[in-house]
Amino acid sequence: MSSITKLIRRFVGILSLSSVLVLALNIILLSVIASLQTPSTGPWTTAKETGQALQKTDSGYALPAEMTEELKAQNAWAIYIENETMQVLWHTEGLPAEIPMQYSISDISNLTRGYLADYPTFTGQAEDGLVVVGFPKDRYWKHLNPSWDLDFIKNSPYILLAVIGINIALIFLIYVIANSKLLRSVKPITNGIQQLPTEHPMHVKENGLLSDLAKKINQTAEILQSQRLNLRRKETARANWISGVSHDIRTPLSMVMGYAGQLEEDPALSDENRRKASIIRQQSIRMKNLVNDLNLASKLEYNMQPIHPEPVNLVAVARQCVADFMNSDLEEKYPMQWKTSEALGACMIDGDKELLRRAINNLLHNSQSHNPDGCCISVEVKADETGYSITIEDDGIGITEDQLEKLRSTPHYMISDSGTAEPRHGLGLLIVQQIVKAHGGKVLFEHGEKGGFYVKMDFPKKYRQS
């Protein structure tokens, strides 16, 4: 509905702006045309100047040559009517034959207000008489009843606004009627487009002006629904396959580990054979851990791993993981630095304690496996306004830029497909990402300040598992 509202609001805005611009343009054009149609010297001015320029001489009346030329330029004629006799005592050359030489007061009134023999006439005062200037019949139009109601003049601004409002309302009404069918067609289209990202089946009625577009949307919805169904089937099949393989491997792997342990402790065997049995047992343990990690990663990815939220102190969990790691480091090749401030106190979140321990242990063992010659590992828990963070950093061999980019962007389990026996960043770190994500947080992988590997896990303070 918000899209329809925006669309209607946009249409109304464009319509209103167009109406205002058209009205303003019409007013400007009318003003320009009126100014061009009005000469610099109007007919009343010409008659006034003619009357003032007419001079009485001993032989009669005479008009200066300059004024005579101006009348000729406008193709106008002029007569002089004496007040006492009401007769024409002077006129210009080329006076039309139908112009009378004798006038009455009524005639003077009529020619002043209107026309004389269909010629538009204008008057000007002269000495002891009246000057009448006539122009061509098709030159001017004279309003014969120039009277206006004073109330109408006073109310003209309101009348103008009312007329403009009525015109705008009429235009809007025509617009709404003309586009109502289009708007009715647009609404189901927008609703259908909004439902496309959802997993709910949808169908848009294929009628109206936009029936072709509705048909395409329905086809797209069917394709997306089919793709979602196929993807869900593939994800379920993969998760079930991983779970089944993990279950099937555990039993024979446990037997291999058990027999390898017995051979490792059998004094009847040579030292070389006992060493081989130890390697078999260690690699079996590694394989078992890999299978468990793969199974856990699959469950976390498809939300099949149950999360058991409870109040967890991140400081206590991290401290316990550090202590366990130090106790297992018999050769003391991986000294630990606990940088967490003693004044920090408890950093409580709602989380799964075992999964959080798994994430921290994965990071500690990641530093250990990638630095066989040893390195210093630091662990720090911090708190800020938005949440808590656990930072783990080592000063070992670090990680290349390409590996770091793959680690940040590769969505699947194993980052490297080189097939070598070298330790690689991948499944363990993926599990870390999934565990932190399941707790509403995020993970940052970076180069360490001392050239090693840096990982930061951020957790929100008010996280609640849904």
Side-chain angles (χ1 to χ4, degrees), residues 75-337:
N75 198 20
W77 49 264
I79 60 175
Y80 170 70
I81 303 174
E82 186 183 37
N83 288 337
E84 293 182 359
T85 62
M86 303 295 285
Q87 292 182 355
V88 175
L89 300 184
W90 169 88
H91 62 81
T92 57
E93 296 179 358
L95 181 68
E98 62 266 33
I99 301 301
M101 295 290 110
Q102 182 72 39
Y103 295 89
S104 64
I105 296 178
S106 176
D107 296 333
I108 298 297
S109 175
N110 288 332
L111 66 87
T112 301
R113 189 180 67 169
Y115 299 81
L116 177 60
D118 293 333
Y119 290 93
T121 52
F122 303 87
T123 59
Q125 294 293 328
E127 184 179 355
D128 298 330
L130 182 70
V131 170
V132 178
V133 178
F135 292 86
K137 296 180 179 180
D138 57 354
R139 181 67 184 277
Y140 294 109
W141 172 79
K142 295 183 71 176
H143 184 39
L144 300 181
N145 300 296
S147 60
W148 297 88
D149 190 338
L150 189 57
D151 291 335
F152 175 80
I153 296 175
K154 290 179 180 179
N155 296 325
S156 58
Y158 305 104
I159 296 174
L160 179 62
L161 291 176
V163 171
I164 294 175
I166 293 173
N167 279 274
I168 293 177
L170 180 60
I171 294 174
F172 180 75
L173 180 61
I174 295 173
Y175 171 81
V176 171
I177 294 175
N179 291 278
S180 58
K181 191 173 182 180
L182 175 62
L183 293 176
R184 286 195 299 268
S185 301
V186 168
K187 182 177 179 180
I189 295 295
T190 55
N191 291 337
I193 293 175
Q194 290 175 351
Q195 293 179 12
L196 281 179
T198 66
E199 296 185 0
H200 302 289
M202 53 80 61
H203 181 79
V204 180
K205 293 183 178 180
E206 299 177 5
N207 52 18
L209 298 176
L210 303 177
S211 58
D212 292 341
L213 182 58
K215 183 177 180 180
K216 296 296 182 182
I217 292 176
N218 290 333
Q219 293 175 353
T220 303
E222 292 177 1
I223 294 174
L224 291 177
Q225 197 68 21
S226 177
Q227 289 177 345
R228 292 190 190 103
L229 181 60
N230 292 334
L231 181 60
R232 190 178 296 111
R233 289 174 178 173
K234 291 180 181 179
E235 290 175 348
T236 303
R238 183 169 68 170
N240 292 336
W241 180 83
I242 292 175
S243 178
V245 169
S246 300
H247 181 270
D248 294 340
I249 288 178
R250 285 193 185 98
T251 300
L253 194 59
S254 298
M255 295 177 62
V256 171
M257 292 172 57
Y259 287 134
Q262 293 178 10
L263 293 175
E264 183 182 3
E265 297 175 358
D266 188 355
L269 294 178
S270 63
D271 292 341
E272 179 65 19
N273 289 333
R274 292 171 64 183
R275 188 183 65 82
K276 292 179 180 179
S278 176
I279 294 175
I280 292 174
R281 182 182 62 81
Q282 292 175 2
Q283 293 300 318
S284 297
I285 293 175
R286 182 179 178 184
M287 187 181 299
K288 179 181 178 180
N289 293 334
L290 180 60
V291 170
N292 291 336
D293 286 347
L294 185 62
N295 193 33
L296 178 60
S298 175
K299 290 182 178 180
L300 289 172
E301 181 176 359
Y302 300 116
N303 297 319
M304 299 170 61
Q305 173 66 29
I307 304 297
H308 304 288
E310 59 181 353
V312 178
N313 184 356
L314 292 179
V315 177
V317 173
R319 185 186 287 112
Q320 184 62 47
C321 292
V322 170
D324 293 341
F325 184 83
M326 293 176 63
N327 292 334
S328 65
D329 183 21
L330 300 180
E331 299 181 7
E332 297 183 354
K333 294 170 59 177
Y334 302 95
M336 301 292 300
Q337 291 184 353

Side-chain angles (χ1 to χ4, degrees), residues 60-77:
Y61 293 89
L63 189 67
E66 181 180 354
M67 198 66 216
T68 301
E69 292 299 324
E70 183 176 343
L71 292 176
K72 288 182 179 180
Q74 298 188 47
N75 198 20
W77 49 264

Side-chain angles (χ1 to χ4, degrees), residues 352-365:
D352 191 312
K353 185 176 181 179
E354 293 303 319
L355 288 180
L356 292 172
R357 290 183 59 182
R358 181 67 176 274
I360 297 174
N361 287 331
N362 278 10
L363 294 177
L364 295 176
H365 288 104

